[in-house]
Amino acid sequence: MSHLEEVIARVDAAIEESVIIHMNELLVALSDDVELSREARYEQQQRLRAAIFHKDRHHKEEMEARREHLTKDGTIL
């Protein structure tokens, strides 16, 4: 398995795990990876950034829906 394939597998696993802190740690680690080409590093970092963005947006939507549910008719339930 090439280094790029290993990195792709790590990124896939981090995205599947869906834990932002782990995705952020891998994002930083990729910044220092001199074995990857600039393009390969950028591509994998973008995949992580997109996953982080979508996870954060989904979390905010869930929190807003929960807040709306708990404050129906202006009353906190």
Side-chain angles (χ1 to χ4, degrees), residues 17-39:
E17 181 185 31
S18 195
V19 176
I20 290 179
I21 193 163
H22 297 158
M23 290 188 274
N24 276 330
E25 289 169 349
L26 185 52
L27 191 59
V28 170
L30 287 175
S31 295
D32 298 329
D33 192 329
V34 295
E35 292 183 52
L36 291 176
S37 69
R38 184 177 187 171
E39 294 79 20

Side-chain angles (χ1 to χ4, degrees), residues 11 22 25 29 37 39 47-48 50 67-68 72 75 77:
V11 170
H22 297 158
E25 289 169 349
S37 69
E39 294 79 20
R47 290 180 61 216
L48 288 167
R67 180 178 321 197
E68 287 178 22
K72 281 185 179 175
T75 305
L77 302 175

Side-chain angles (χ1 to χ4, degrees), residues 6-27 30 42-56:
E6 289 175 12
V7 168
I8 291 170
R10 288 175 57 202
V11 170
D12 289 344
I15 291 171
E16 186 175 327
E17 181 185 31
S18 195
V19 176
I20 290 179
I21 193 163
H22 297 158
M23 290 188 274
N24 276 330
E25 289 169 349
L26 185 52
L27 191 59
L30 287 175
Y42 177 78
E43 182 180 333
Q44 297 311 309
Q45 287 177 319
Q46 282 300 96
R47 290 180 61 216
L48 288 167
R49 288 182 188 110
I52 291 167
F53 171 78
H54 290 296
K55 170 103 173 135
D56 185 52

